[in-house]
Amino acid sequence: MISKEQIESVVNAADIVDVIGERVDLRRSGANHKAACPFHDEKTASFMVSHAKQIFKCFGCGVAGDSIKFIMLYENLNYPDAIRLLAARYGIEIKESFSYQNHNKTDDDKKETMRSAMKLATEFYHQNLLNEIKNENSKFTQYIKERGLTEEDCKIFKIGYAPDKWHALKENIKFKDIDDKLLIEVGLRKQNEKGNIYDLFRNRLMFPVFDILGNVIAFSARTLDDEIQPKYVNSPESTIYKKSKVFFGFYQSKDTVRKTHSMILVEGNMDMVSMFKNGFTNTVALCGTAFTEDHAQTMKRNADNINILFDGDVAGKKAAFRTAELLISNGMDPKIIILPDELDPDTFLKIRSRSELDNLLAKGIGFIGMFFLTYDKSNMNASNRIKIIDKIFESLGRLSNLSESKVAAFLKEASDRLGIGEESLKKDFETFRKSKKSNYRSKAPQIEPTEKYVCDKKDLFEFNILYLMLSDKKVCSEYLRTIDESYFLNHEATQLYMKFYELYEEGESINLNNILVDFDDKFKDFFIDYTASQEGVFLADIDEGDEVGLEIKIDQAFKDSFKKIKLRFFKREIKKLYDELKFTSDDVENEERIMKEIAEIKSQEIEIGNS
Ligand SMILES: [Zn+2]
């Protein structure tokens, strides 16, 4: 708990113009300051900051508040964490007391306890490493040297070593009083099916993942022996760790990022550390996950220039492209850097040089350039041109929230590179877009951050399917694999289904808490309310204790919803194929294939409709 007095002194110290000015380019405007709003897309500055009133307000999207509220929104923190961040910034000491034993805790207390356990573990592993590398002859010291890590690097990133033991943590006096339950919850220990509890990380090089406040919230642990799979073991997600929201290394690189408004994104921890020690101190890495919308938003808030520097192999290129698209759809203009000879950044820096990488970074490829990568410039025949145009159209079609001026600029660049008239390319794109209109959503209205999650009524049965799988394990195990994520139309329902699948595959228990960990509070509130209301519906005319009756009812309800979702999915597929058909004039073979596919889906549709 943070005391009232402490909060007050933070509020007094954190001048709003300072706090916001450190993160956003503020310009004076009369008695106030203004800027382009960091919370919505805009060109004209409608984000105002009043020094006299110590508040901010955006006249575009309506977001408003004081300096604490700003930090909560901008840094994605809850209230106490926003206070902690500002306290650290202004040199105010926050004294908090807690114990590992007390079980009636608020959520914030619990998070604090979890972070403290992670802090102890970080120190433990780190101290281990420092002890171990004193021994010049140890295998571990050799390994560290081979990876090119110095003691200094290990200190900056608090890198550690997890001993080759099943109970190293519990053998340490500092962990003696910490409940295993807590250690399991933060992912330091694990319980197997037989009930045995053991350390999750053994004989591994430990990379702590820090949050923006400098708390360790997870570990990414690399094996010392490349024969051992998996190469990396990562902490499971927890109340304090959401991998889709965190960048590895952001805590260390944030100062440079904010000073230069630029960021380099790499794939692996070792890449990040290597880049950092070679002077690229604005580098961050993904935490063993694909790039997400949340990542894009964090980047957008912190930088104007993004360089995507993934591995030079095919998988790396693909991932880089997908990442670029997501950034572009969030209004950014990323550049991709392709490393030669399929190298990753770490290896590149070891066998080439820093200055060579500098040169590559200066020559990053923009969005349109990416489509030309695999084609030889000197051999740009008609068929290649068409392939490129198809891919550009498809991608621009997907990027439904791009501004028209941006689309026009991309098309102009494409027409220049292809040597095709700009006007005719634009016309073709319009035709393409009209034919895809069903898939092409018009600009979504900006949602105010304070609004509730709103679900289209037509999508509700998708949530019903998820609710039913959640309430009945049998239903879940019977049907989970027969559903495909593409059956869902609602974005959150799709995400939720994927989370279900992930947990199920990992053999984790599935409950309301752990399937909702990745979602924002708005959606959590919505889904919890929804399940509560469905519970009422299902129990309404079931006698107490009538388990069989309830089971039958749930099973029937599931089948009904499942039928609906399938039929809707088929409709979408057929529509898509007809759209495609409009585009395949003169291509008889393709036309035949599409007609055949349509016929197949239609017969399935009838079959299900009759069932
Ligand atoms: Zn705004």
Side-chain angles (χ1 to χ4, degrees), residues 539-552:
L539 295 175
D541 51 346
I542 294 282
D543 294 330
E544 215 181 302
D546 181 6
E547 296 291 333
V548 179
L550 184 63
E551 208 173 278
I552 293 170

Side-chain angles (χ1 to χ4, degrees), residues 5 84 128 136 256 282 285 308 348 363 530 553-554 598:
E5 290 74 30
R84 286 183 191 110
N128 251 325
E136 288 274 343
T256 313
N282 58 339
I308 303 167
F348 185 90
K363 286 187 286 195
Y530 178 76
K553 197 175 174 187
I554 286 181
I598 291 176

Side-chain angles (χ1 to χ4, degrees), residues 37 39-40 42 47 58 60-63:
C37 177
F39 304 115
H40 85 279
E42 65 170 7
F47 181 84
C58 173
C61 67
V63 50

Side-chain angles (χ1 to χ4, degrees), residues 242-258:
K242 315 269 170 278
K243 64 185 171 189
S244 64
K245 293 196 172 180
V246 185
F247 287 115
F248 173 79
F250 189 45
Y251 178 66
Q252 283 81 5
S253 64
K254 66 179 189 316
D255 293 342
T256 313
V257 168
R258 285 185 182 150

Side-chain angles (χ1 to χ4, degrees), residues 540-571:
D541 51 346
I542 294 282
D543 294 330
E544 215 181 302
D546 181 6
E547 296 291 333
V548 179
L550 184 63
E551 208 173 278
I552 293 170
K553 197 175 174 187
I554 286 181
D555 198 60
Q556 193 49 51
F558 186 86
K559 281 180 181 146
D560 289 345
S561 290
F562 191 42
K563 190 166 148 183
K564 261 197 214 163
I565 201 174
K566 256 182 160 168
L567 287 173
R568 192 156 92 156
F569 170 70
F570 287 153
K571 277 219 171 64

